[in-house]
Structure formats: structure tokens, C-alpha cells
Amino acid sequence: MSLENWQEHKRPFAAIAGAPLTWLLVFFLVPMAIVWLYSFGQNAGPADIAITGTLDNYKRATEWLYLSIFFKSLAVAALVTLICLIVGFPVAMAITFASDKWRPWLLLGVMLPFWTNLLIRTYALMMVLGGNGYANKALGALWGGASWLRTLVGLQLLDAWSPVQLLYNNFAVVLGLVYVHLPFMVLPLYSALDRLDRSLIEASLDLGAGHLRTLWTIVMPLAAPGIFAGIMITLIPALGAYLTPDLMGGTESQMIANVIERQFKRANDWPFGAALSFLLIYAMFILIALQSLRGRKPAEA
């Protein structure tokens, strides 16, 4: 039975689709609908929310304090996505043109982080970047190993080595998010590059185009679907990231997801937290809609 003829076999189709649709309804759509209703409510007690239909929560969410945090989160997510694209494209190219012997191992290396809990990976990165971490130890060894630096310290023209603050700032947040989301960029890029007609690349090189020009005029346009898919898959989770900014960021490095968490837990203001949550969801829907519209234009043309 083909899926194209499902209307002729409604009962088997309903039996197959019933379980996942029920799961989606009960454990996703219903809870999301409840939170959406909360965004139009007010606190009526310590554990009671009255759904009044008010828009005050959304009005408060559009105050500059929260909009500035949202725009900062969007800027951080965009920067993370750009870095992942710059780093991930050569990695995907290397995997694509690797030999059949090494390609599975390279793909395994990209997917290996998915087999480890995100919390463990984040703490491991914090150990590397900490004041007594391996990064600072390496920098300290370079500092102490340079004779001309020791001379300047001896002449009191430079201070002795002190650990660099690599944690609890915006740098740590961006680095942590790149570390977490880089595989989300590499895999769609590899999927797109692996389907390329390599004869077009060979023809471009044979006709005198250099490697950079071939990359820009041949490879990039043909890999555009994978590039945009990787951008969306990386940008949206980075925009809503919570754990990495919470553990690796300082007071000035918090993102919109951390503000939402505080409304639900510490402030006990669920209606306002729900409004902030759905503003973030609306923004993500807009990004997905823009990507969908962009994907339809070539087909319509």
C-alpha cells in the first residue's frame, strides 16, 4: 500500500498514524495550549492563575528591557550560526571528499557529541576554560617559556602571568554555543555537498577557474539548500539556548531563555513567562516561514 492511496485505505492509515498523533496532541499541543492561555492570565494567588484575556503580559514583554535582551540573544545566535558556518563548511567539504575508508570515521567524530549528555559536555568545557583549566595552563606555559617576556617581567615592564578570564562572559557563551551546535551545521552541509555532481567542479577547474572561484560560483550555489537548512537548524536552537548561558555566562551574558526561566521559577510569574515564551516561539515561526517561502521561490520559477 502506497502512501499516495491512503484515502482508499483509511483504517490502516488511521491505525498507523493514530499513536504518534495522539502522543503529539497529549504531550505537546495540549501543554502548549495551556501555556498559551496562561499568557493571557494574571496571578490570582501563590498557585492560582486566572485567565482574564489581558494583554498586559505581552505589553510588558515589549518593554525595552526585555526587547534588548531578545535582540542581544538574536545577535548572539546569529554570531554563533556564522561561526558554525565558517568552521563547519570546510569540515563538511573534507568529509565529502574523504576516501571511503575515512568518511564513516569522520562522520562518527561529528556525531559522537550527540552520544554524551549536554550537561557533561558543558562542564567539561568549563574545566578547560576555568582559571586553573587547561587553556590557562597552556597560556601560562607559553608566557613563562618566552625568554623575552621573562626579561620584561624582570624589568617590571610587564606584570607576571595571571589567569585570563575565559569563563562567565560573552566570549564563553559564544564559544560554548558553537561547541554545542557545530554538528547541527556540519551534517546538513555534508548532506548537500555529498549530492553534488563532482563533474561540474572538475569542469570548472579544467576551464581555468581557481579553487576559490569554483567554490564560490559552483559549490556554494549548489549547496545553498544545505546551507540554509544548517543555518535554520543552528540559529533556532541557539536563540532559545538556556543551559550554556546559564552555566558559562555571567550576569551580563544572560539570554532570553534565562529570563523566561527566572519568571517561571524565581519570580513565580507564570503569565509573564508564558508571554515571553510565546514571543520567542512567534519569532522562531517567522524564521521558519521565511525559510519556507525562500524554498518555494525556485520551484515556482
Side-chain angles (χ1 to χ4, degrees):
M1 180 183 67
S2 64
L3 292 178
E4 296 178 357
N5 299 327
W6 68 269
Q7 292 182 343
E8 300 176 3
H9 306 275
K10 293 183 179 180
R11 290 185 178 180
F13 181 82
I16 295 173
L21 289 177
T22 301
W23 181 277
L24 180 66
L25 176 65
V26 173
F27 295 103
F28 180 74
L29 294 180
V30 172
M32 289 290 287
I34 294 173
V35 176
W36 181 72
L37 289 175
Y38 281 172
S39 68
F40 299 99
Q42 292 177 327
N43 284 330
D48 189 18
I49 298 175
I51 308 300
T52 61
T54 180
L55 296 177
D56 290 341
N57 297 310
Y58 287 98
K59 292 178 181 178
R60 182 183 170 192
T62 55
E63 294 177 0
W64 176 245
L65 173 63
Y66 302 103
L67 286 180
S68 62
I69 298 175
F70 176 80
F71 289 136
K72 178 187 175 182
S73 302
L74 184 60
V76 170
L79 177 60
V80 168
T81 303
L82 178 61
I83 295 175
C84 286
L85 179 60
I86 294 173
V87 176
F89 197 90
V91 173
M93 287 281 292
I95 297 175
T96 301
F97 291 96
S99 63
D100 294 338
K101 175 183 177 181
W102 287 104
R103 189 180 304 172
W105 293 104
L106 294 174
L107 284 173
L108 178 64
V110 173
M111 293 184 292
L112 197 60
F114 293 120
W115 299 357
T116 307
N117 185 271
L118 174 60
L119 185 63
I120 297 175
R121 285 186 282 151
T122 304
Y123 275 121
L125 185 59
M126 292 174 67
M127 292 178 62
V128 173
L129 300 178
N132 295 321
Y134 297 107
N136 266 304
K137 288 181 180 179
L139 292 173
L142 292 175
W143 179 274
S147 59
W148 63 276
L149 286 175
R150 291 199 304 269
T151 301
L152 293 178
V153 171
L155 296 173
Q156 296 184 352
L157 297 177
L158 281 178
D159 294 330
W161 166 258
S162 60
V164 179
Q165 183 66 26
L166 299 176
L167 272 179
Y168 311 120
N169 50 37
N170 291 324
F171 167 79
V173 173
V174 172
L175 180 62
L177 290 176
V178 170
Y179 170 68
V180 170
H181 293 93
L182 184 58
F184 293 101
M185 178 65 75
V186 173
L187 294 177
L189 289 175
Y190 166 74
S191 178
L193 292 171
D194 191 50
R195 295 195 298 266
L196 291 181
D197 186 354
R198 300 189 183 185
S199 62
L200 297 176
I201 301 176
E202 296 173 358
S204 176
L205 295 174
D206 291 341
L207 292 173
H211 287 84
L212 290 178
R213 187 174 181 182
T214 300
L215 179 66
W216 185 257
T217 60
I218 303 297
V219 177
M220 296 285 283
L222 293 177
I227 293 174
F228 283 100
I231 289 174
M232 297 303 299
I233 294 174
T234 305
L235 179 64
I236 292 176
L239 180 59
Y242 160 73
L243 181 64
T244 302
D246 188 59
L247 294 179
M248 302 182 65
T251 55
E252 301 297 327
S253 306
Q254 299 298 288
M255 296 176 65
I256 189 65
N258 304 107
V259 178
I260 295 172
E261 182 267 345
R262 284 197 295 270
Q263 301 305 317
F264 279 100
K265 286 189 175 180
R266 304 176 192 177
N268 196 30
D269 193 350
W270 286 39
F272 182 56
L276 285 173
S277 301
F278 269 88
L279 284 179
L280 182 60
I281 292 173
Y282 298 151
M284 293 180 179
F285 280 162
I286 291 173
L287 292 175
I288 295 173
L290 291 176
Q291 167 64 10
S292 299
L293 291 175
R294 187 208 161 275
R296 291 179 181 177
K297 287 182 180 179
E300 293 175 355

